[in-house]
Amino acid sequence: MSDHLWHRHRNVEADGTGHGNPKVSFSDSSKSSKRDSSRPSTSRNDSRSSSPRLLSPRADKDRDRPRPQQPWSDNRAWQRVNRQSEALWQEAPSLLSPTAPQPRPFLIYHDSFLNLLGSSPTLSLLISDPRAPYFHEAGVFHPATNTLFITSNQIPDASPDAVTTQNKTIVITKIEFFSPTDFTRDKVRCPERNYMANGGTNFRDGLILCAQGSLREPSGLIYMEAKRPHKATTLLNNYHGRPFNSPNDVVVHSDGSIWFTDPIYGYEQGFRPKPQLPQHVYRFDPSTGDIRVVADGFGRPNGICFAPNEETCYITDTDFIHGDGMKVHSRPATIYAYSVYWTNDQPYLTNRRVFAYADTGVPDGIKCDVYGNVYAACGDGINVWNSGGMLVGKVLIEGGCANFCFGRNGEMWCFGEHKLWRVKLGDETKGALLGV
């Protein structure tokens, strides 16, 4: 039986913790394949299929017949939690309870997560830079140039230009990949009008960034070209003459409209004026100039994404953590789901409901895969729910992460402030945004 990161031997005591030293390696992600129609899905429509296609022991009628050992032939050896009842843990001491230390990075809550992991998932540290928190938000992968754009957290800046941002700045990092481990890293000089960039997404041949603004410069949305010299154009910087708070995250609908969240983190962190608008979620149509509010009632609206069919919009509320660092445990760390309803050729959001609540930290960045599963960057790493709101698994990352980004063929990059992580899932586990 191979010693993959997502598996634990039952009788290994090499280091006194019941598991050996994990082997971290890169998997070949250069080949992609179409989804097999027989592949079990984690979507609501396929919820009747409860057995993953590679888990044969419980499905075999003749389960007691001797057979060759397979990677997951013994279900009790899996690092499972929340499986049927606490009695299962009593029957199988090798299982870990939800409160026990978790030595492995891939935590299985439901068998459907195995389909997303593939046969050899890996977690690898690409960059560790103690100088500054360069890996924080955005996470925009540009397939045409094989380039990843990441925005930093706030970095001290003593230059005169940073007076209006309380002597803080944000750096945009550009990483061009030649292979999973061969890449160049460069710093993008923040283009004009791009003050305190935060979230971002793909748009046309470049990317949109949320410019949080400063005490002097307005906040809003800018379009930045993906290629040098990274020319920037302001798309929007006010709501009918009233300034935005500090736009945080953004997503583009297939109709070309731009949806974004606007919390007050900039004001709480001292680089934005007193808010003149509630903490809304907006829809902007660049073809007509129409800008309107599509959702309100949040403590701190943050991440936003659409389901693959765009019939559901997911928005996170991270009111648990305020901009000044204060944590209020009674406040939301919640993902809300909305139905997208159309009337008069215009979409609006209805049927707000709680989709999930993060058990560790807050759900910051959020994205869907092509199967409709929902991924969120939380205090313990990447949490994954199916479209029905069931937690199916986690990718445990030391220190958690604020955001992440899908690459090609099951590749994800996760941002841990001073660290950039690479996660390799199954080749068919692709991000819904790009589908590559």
Side-chain angles (χ1 to χ4, degrees):
M1 185 179 294
S2 60
D3 187 19
H4 291 303
L5 291 179
W6 40 260
H7 181 271
R8 186 176 75 168
H9 291 293
R10 299 180 63 189
N11 297 314
V12 175
E13 297 179 354
D15 58 2
T17 63
H19 60 88
N21 293 326
K23 181 186 296 183
V24 180
S25 63
F26 285 96
S27 301
D28 182 10
S29 61
S30 61
K31 298 181 180 179
S32 63
S33 59
K34 294 182 179 180
R35 181 185 177 189
D36 186 349
S37 60
S38 65
R39 175 186 176 91
S41 170
T42 58
S43 66
R44 180 175 299 176
N45 294 334
D46 296 329
S47 61
R48 294 187 298 272
S49 178
S50 59
S51 299
R53 65 182 171 98
L54 293 179
L55 283 179
S56 59
R58 293 191 182 275
D60 291 342
K61 295 181 179 179
D62 190 13
R63 55 188 291 179
D64 296 326
R65 176 174 55 84
R67 55 184 173 270
Q69 196 172 31
Q70 298 179 8
W72 42 67
S73 61
D74 185 353
N75 285 343
R76 291 178 301 170
W78 280 94
Q79 189 180 185
R80 297 182 185 277
V81 295
N82 201 27
R83 176 70 184 255
Q84 296 179 349
S85 67
E86 182 74 26
L88 182 63
W89 297 318
Q90 297 172 0
E91 294 174 5
S94 62
L95 290 172
L96 297 175
S97 73
T99 57
Q102 309 292 349
R104 301 288 182 172
F106 297 98
L107 189 60
I108 313 298
Y109 280 78
H110 188 267
D111 290 348
S112 57
F113 192 47
L114 300 175
N115 297 316
L116 305 178
L117 292 178
S119 60
S120 55
T122 58
L123 171 66
S124 304
L125 179 62
L126 288 186
I127 300 174
S128 180
D129 192 334
R131 296 176 300 170
Y134 290 113
F135 313 110
H136 179 61
E137 279 280 4
V140 181
F141 177 60
H142 189 250
T145 57
N146 219 35
T147 302
L148 175 65
F149 294 89
I150 311 169
T151 57
S152 74
N153 209 329
Q154 297 174 30
I155 300 173
D157 186 354
S159 67
D161 293 338
V163 172
T164 61
T165 55
Q166 296 293 301
N167 294 113
K168 306 169 188 174
T169 191
I170 285 178
V171 173
I172 302 174
T173 294
K174 180 176 73 172
I175 300 177
E176 184 177 359
F177 287 94
F178 308 102
S179 76
T181 57
D182 183 13
F183 54 86
T184 60
R185 175 185 174 189
D186 197 7
K187 183 170 68 172
V188 177
R189 298 294 177 183
C190 280
E192 184 182 359
R193 296 180 293 276
N194 185 13
Y195 286 85
M196 306 297 280
N198 197 67
T201 192
N202 301 80
F203 186 65
R204 297 172 181 167
D205 294 328
L207 56 151
I208 292 176
L209 291 170
C210 293
Q212 297 181 90
S214 68
L215 293 172
R216 180 182 61 196
E217 301 295 332
S219 59
L221 304 176
I222 69 161
Y223 170 74
M224 188 179 80
E225 295 179 354
K227 298 180 179 180
R228 291 185 178 89
H230 304 296
K231 182 181 177 181
T233 304
T234 299
L235 299 177
L236 178 72
N237 62 12
N238 69 89
Y239 176 77
H240 299 290
R242 296 168 67 180
F244 294 114
N245 299 317
S246 47
N248 188 278
D249 201 7
V250 57
V251 67
V252 177
H253 191 275
S254 62
D255 67 357
S257 61
I258 304 167
W259 302 55
F260 63 99
T261 60
D262 187 35
I264 61 171
Y265 283 129
Y267 170 70
E268 292 178 318
Q269 293 165 2
F271 63 85
R272 286 291 291 148
K274 185 176 180 180
Q276 297 185 38
L277 285 168
Q279 300 183 84
H280 288 151
V281 177
Y282 296 90
R283 176 187 183 269
F284 172 60
D285 187 343
S287 65
T288 64
D290 177 61
I291 172 70
R292 60 190 179 90
V293 176
V294 290
D296 64 2
F298 297 94
R300 303 290 186 282
N302 200 315
I304 182 171
C305 76
F306 287 101
N309 59 13
E310 297 185 325
E311 294 178 358
T312 304
C313 180
Y314 299 100
I315 303 172
T316 72
D317 190 339
T318 53
D319 197 24
F320 169 75
I321 299 179
H322 291 189
D324 57 4
M326 180 178 66
K327 296 181 179 180
V328 184
H329 292 269
S330 61
R331 301 301 300 160
T334 307
I335 302 173
Y336 293 101
Y338 294 80
S339 298
V340 182
Y341 185 79
W342 288 76
T343 183
N344 291 328
D345 294 326
Q346 293 295 314
Y348 67 92
L349 301 182
T350 185
N351 189 26
R352 168 175 164 147
R353 65 266 189 198
V354 171
F355 175 78
Y357 183 87
D359 61 81
T360 306
V362 295
D364 196 332
I366 184 171
K367 293 173 177 65
C368 286
D369 66 20
V370 292
Y371 306 115
N373 299 296
V374 179
Y375 299 63
C378 299
D380 53 356
I382 304 297
N383 291 197
V384 185
W385 296 265
N386 65 17
S387 59
M390 173 190 288
L391 181 66
V392 298
K394 293 185 178 184
V395 182
L396 300 179
I397 297 177
E398 179 186 0
C401 53
N403 216 321
F404 64 102
C405 177
F406 279 100
R408 286 191 174 92
N409 304 322
E411 187 174 37
M412 287 198 309
W413 297 284
C414 305
F415 313 138
E417 304 298 339
H418 292 271
K419 297 179 179 180
L420 175 63
W421 300 87
R422 178 185 184 266
V423 177
K424 180 62 177 73
L425 306 176
D427 285 354
E428 297 179 12
T429 306
K430 306 173 187 293
L433 184 66
L434 298 176
V436 297

